Amino acid sequence: RRAVDDGGTPDDPSDDRPLWGLVTASRTIDITRQNAYLWDHIDSVFTVVEAHENPLAGTTRHQLRGLATLHTGGLLEIEWGTIAAADPPRPAEGTGLYRNYSGAVLTGHAFDRAFPGLGKWMVTLAAWLFAVSTMISWSYYGEQGIIYMVGQRLVLPYKMVFLAATIYAAAGIANAHDMEVLMDLGTGAMLWANIPIVVGLGFLSVGGLNSYVTRLNTGQFVKRSAVSNGDGI
């Protein structure tokens, strides 16, 4: 363990706690055929340390994350991150090295713990079907938006851009972090586009709701049975 005082980080807003990191030696591990899938594309890992009180967990335990690289021959190297703490952290009793699963990968791993191989295929298939259906629906929404704004002449260029973005997302995103960054970018773009519309045209929705409530309370709506009998309009 080593202490580094670099004048504060986002983990240490008060700028009064040193940073502590973990130094571990590279080691060679034996990977059996049964657990080989656990080491496929290993990247983000963590261990558990005891330090100051963790307000998120309600305990003194914290995750210390690192990036793991598995080289040819089973040589494992880990580049650990740091944690800001007034006193030297120590490894939690009974802890070890854990892979930092997230999202669909975590769901698949949970299934694999009970039925090895099931989560890998079932969750992958479910995520693939969801992704395909999402691409179809959102490409259609975008196409209709293009038609509404500029007409049919830009539909084909729009489809080409959408297809290129789909290929980039499938081939260019290598980990969950990059995917989350792209998701945040897309969500932010939608917010910037929708907030001015909601602020500028929200009065139309409120007016429509008020009109509906007024007509409902004054009995202006006619029952379906009355309409079918010719008693209403």
Side-chain angles (χ1 to χ4, degrees), residues 214-225:
T214 300
R215 288 183 292 161
L216 179 64
N217 293 335
T218 56
Q220 297 183 33
F221 291 104
V222 181
K223 292 182 179 180
R224 183 177 297 273
S225 58

Side-chain angles (χ1 to χ4, degrees), residues 168-180:
Y168 167 76
I173 297 180
N175 52 58
H177 174 72
D178 292 343
M179 180 181 66
E180 291 172 357

Side-chain angles (χ1 to χ4, degrees), residues 135 156-172 182:
M135 287 189 293
L156 182 59
Y158 159 78
K159 290 182 176 180
M160 298 302 294
V161 172
F162 189 92
L163 180 60
T166 301
I167 295 174
Y168 167 76
L182 186 61

Side-chain angles (χ1 to χ4, degrees), residues 34-40 99 101 104-124:
Q34 289 76 13
N35 66 3
Y37 71 95
L38 294 173
W39 296 95
D40 290 342
R99 188 168 180 176
Y101 293 101
V105 179
L106 177 61
T107 304
H109 178 66
F111 278 103
D112 283 336
R113 291 291 298 271
F115 306 99
L118 175 63
K120 176 181 179 180
W121 296 107
M122 184 181 71
V123 175
T124 299

